Amino acid sequence: MAADAAPVTAQQAEPAAMRLRSSAPQPFADAPVRASASGLHEQAKSTVMAPTSIDEDARLPRRKWLERIRSRRDNGDLDSARASLERFVLAYPETRIPRDLQPLLAD
């Protein structure tokens, strides 16, 4: 019976080899990416509170602007909180700065 089988040419064998390669499992293609806890924390913060510019803060009513400054501070964005508070002081020099925000100006 082996004599009845036709010999396989290189051209016939090539597509079969390609099918085997393409169906072979890719070991790292779907592997989950591991991230550090701090990296995930930073990603979560940026997802929860989308970054806004200081210009956008300045368009808010005074109380909302102060809330935004607190939110920036509480989320660890001290540079933006300071910058926004400094702009607030320039816009409203007569307004008393709340005690909890005064340390931002002291630095």
Side-chain angles (χ1 to χ4, degrees):
M1 290 220 172
D4 293 347
V8 177
T9 65
Q11 291 174 338
Q12 292 171 330
E14 187 176 333
M18 290 181 79
R19 280 194 303 272
L20 286 176
R21 269 187 260 149
S22 65
S23 66
Q26 301 297 320
F28 299 108
D30 297 326
V33 176
R34 296 186 187 263
S36 67
S38 62
L40 291 174
H41 180 70
E42 291 301 316
Q43 181 181 3
K45 284 194 314 189
S46 65
T47 303
V48 171
M49 181 182 161
T52 57
S53 73
I54 305 305
D55 292 333
E56 291 173 5
D57 292 357
R59 293 186 193 111
L60 296 170
R62 289 182 200 195
R63 289 180 194 249
K64 292 286 185 186
W65 191 350
L66 292 172
E67 287 175 18
R68 176 74 57 84
I69 293 168
R70 285 186 180 99
S71 179
R72 289 177 185 278
R73 178 201 60 199
D74 294 345
N75 285 318
D77 189 3
L78 296 178
D79 291 336
S80 292
R82 279 188 196 100
S84 187
L85 184 57
E86 288 170 1
R87 176 119 178 232
F88 181 89
V89 169
L90 290 173
Y92 302 108
E94 74 286 353
T95 302
R96 185 182 68 74
I97 302 302
R99 273 191 198 166
D100 66 314
L101 295 177
Q102 290 177 1
L104 290 171
L105 295 175
D107 291 342

